[in-house]
Amino acid sequence: MYRENRLPQSPKESLIFMLIISIISVNTIAPIITGLQFGFSMKNYLETLKVIPIMWIIVILLVSFVAGPLVGRVMPKFVGQTDGFNARILLNTLLNVTVLSILLTIIGTWVGTKQISLEPFQHFFYSWFRNFGVAFWIELVIAQPIARFVMKKLHSKQARKVKAVNL
């Protein structure tokens, strides 16, 4: 079976892949969304940095236990036998960002304001569309390509080692 060298091939590589994407995403998406909502200032940025560790843990848990399994079940219904790598990655990113942005529009507001309220529901569609747009483009243009590049380099290094041993 063909193994894509731009994707993780083992649990250890999956962890590295997820860490790269989540660290980039949390450290870019959260400050941009906060800046768009409250204004771009050093004060707002420093406030965002305080909640990033909590949000990072929440993102990892949501990816592992909600978005990943849900998208894993839905993907086969949309992906065809002839669909290429890029089509699959685009659909996977779209579905994951949709699930995560819906949940994080609510949870992120609660964490950021340090209170559970109805506020994220009252402004959900305005906030969600903005959050989805920011997250989708960060994932598509920055986080995912960097993580796939790291996997490609890791696999080429492993292949060189195997080739050197076999010589």
Side-chain angles (χ1 to χ4, degrees):
M1 183 171 184
Y2 176 72
R3 293 172 53 150
E4 176 55 57
N5 69 352
R6 295 171 281 185
L7 294 175
Q9 305 295 324
S10 69
K12 179 183 171 186
E13 290 176 7
S14 294
L15 179 63
I16 292 167
F17 191 76
M18 185 169 41
L19 286 173
I20 292 168
I21 291 171
S22 65
I23 289 169
I24 291 169
S25 297
V26 169
N27 283 289
T28 55
I29 295 168
I32 290 171
I33 289 172
T34 302
L36 289 170
Q37 186 165 356
F38 299 109
F40 291 94
S41 69
M42 187 56 73
K43 178 183 176 252
N44 289 339
Y45 178 69
L46 293 174
E47 286 299 313
T48 304
L49 290 180
K50 292 177 185 176
V51 298
I52 282 179
I54 296 163
M55 290 307 300
W56 181 71
I57 293 168
I58 292 168
V59 167
I60 293 291
L61 292 172
L62 288 174
V63 167
S64 299
F65 298 112
V66 180
L70 185 61
V71 170
R73 285 191 201 130
V74 173
M75 279 286 289
K77 295 179 187 335
F78 293 102
V79 175
Q81 291 282 13
T82 58
D83 289 338
F85 177 78
N86 290 334
R88 291 170 187 261
I89 289 296
L90 181 60
L91 180 60
N92 185 284
T93 301
L94 175 70
L95 293 174
N96 270 295
V97 170
T98 300
V99 171
L100 290 170
S101 64
I102 288 169
L103 296 171
L104 291 170
T105 294
I106 296 163
I107 297 168
T109 302
W110 290 343
V111 171
T113 60
K114 297 176 181 75
Q115 66 178 352
I116 295 177
S117 69
L118 294 177
E119 195 273 326
F121 297 101
Q122 294 166 335
H123 301 74
F124 180 79
F125 287 105
Y126 167 78
S127 298
W128 177 72
F129 282 113
R130 180 200 58 219
N131 296 351
F132 172 83
V134 170
F136 182 70
W137 288 106
I138 294 289
E139 288 293 314
L140 195 65
V141 177
I142 300 170
Q144 293 276 339
I146 290 172
R148 287 193 302 273
F149 176 78
V150 169
M151 286 296 112
K152 188 174 181 177
K153 290 297 181 186
L154 180 68
H155 293 142
S156 67
K157 183 179 177 181
Q158 290 169 346
R160 282 194 307 274
K161 282 183 181 179
V162 168
K163 188 175 179 180
V165 169
N166 291 333
L167 290 179

